[in-house]
Amino acid sequence: MSIADRLVLQRQRHLKWRALDPLELILMIICGLTLFGFSMSVCADITTRIIGRPWLWLQEVTSTLFIYGIFIGAAVATRRNDHLYLTAVADSMHGRSRLIAELVIRLIVLAVAFCLIYYGYLNYLRGFGSFRLPSNTPIASLYAAIPICGALIALFTVEQIVNGCRNGFDHPEPQVPEHSAAFGASRPEATP
């Protein structure tokens, strides 16, 4: 099993296009790298302050990695149905009522995505008037993550709406525990 097979979630496959699997893989790698970079920059910031020689630019690196990690993570979690997804009501329904509930939920998520795109872009444009210290980088470099996140959430939500209308939202999931798939198990072991 390749790294791509481990990172691209196979749950609710009927709602996903295979063409977007490489994008999910790239986003998962970016999330991992930003989390790792964030952790390392916090450790380095603490260490340099303890030894009495703080690197002030580390705070900029830390905030950038944190913000991009959060927004990219929210987008990939939308595709994986791990975030911004209200399942309790819809999962208890079947047939036409399930379809309507799933569509309403996803249309709300799509509306939020469009707000992220529109208002995030406005914020991004305004960010060229403010600068981060000590590098004097426009704060727009941070705000760019917001419309990017919105565009990705919109893409993944449209993917789910189209595939849900074509294939239905109500599909039984395999009974393989997801955590075992992450560690290379292909099927659950039989119990004697």
Side-chain angles (χ1 to χ4, degrees), residues 111-162:
V112 169
F114 286 132
C115 288
L116 285 170
I117 294 169
Y118 179 74
Y119 293 109
Y121 183 70
L122 292 178
N123 228 8
Y124 168 75
L125 292 177
R126 287 187 196 121
F128 286 104
S130 301
F131 299 93
R132 301 173 69 194
L133 295 175
S135 71
N136 283 329
T137 306
I139 202 158
S141 64
L142 290 180
Y143 294 157
I146 302 168
I148 291 169
C149 170
L152 290 169
I153 288 174
L155 173 66
F156 296 144
T157 303
V158 168
E159 171 193 39
Q160 292 172 5
I161 289 172
V162 169

Side-chain angles (χ1 to χ4, degrees), residues 104-115:
V104 166
I105 290 168
R106 283 176 174 82
L107 289 174
I108 291 169
V109 171
L110 194 58
V112 169
F114 286 132
C115 288

Side-chain angles (χ1 to χ4, degrees), residues 49 65 80 148 172 189:
R49 288 177 186 278
L65 291 171
R80 298 163 68 95
I148 291 169
E189 295 181 24

Side-chain angles (χ1 to χ4, degrees), residues 58-72:
L58 276 174
Q59 291 181 349
E60 286 186 52
V61 170
T62 302
S63 64
T64 301
L65 291 171
F66 180 75
I67 289 169
Y68 275 87
I70 293 296
F71 281 105
I72 298 297

Side-chain angles (χ1 to χ4, degrees), residues 40-58:
M40 291 298 104
S41 66
V42 167
C43 290
D45 191 26
I46 292 168
T47 303
T48 59
R49 288 177 186 278
I50 287 174
I51 63 173
R53 301 225 181 247
W55 296 346
L56 299 178
W57 58 269
L58 276 174

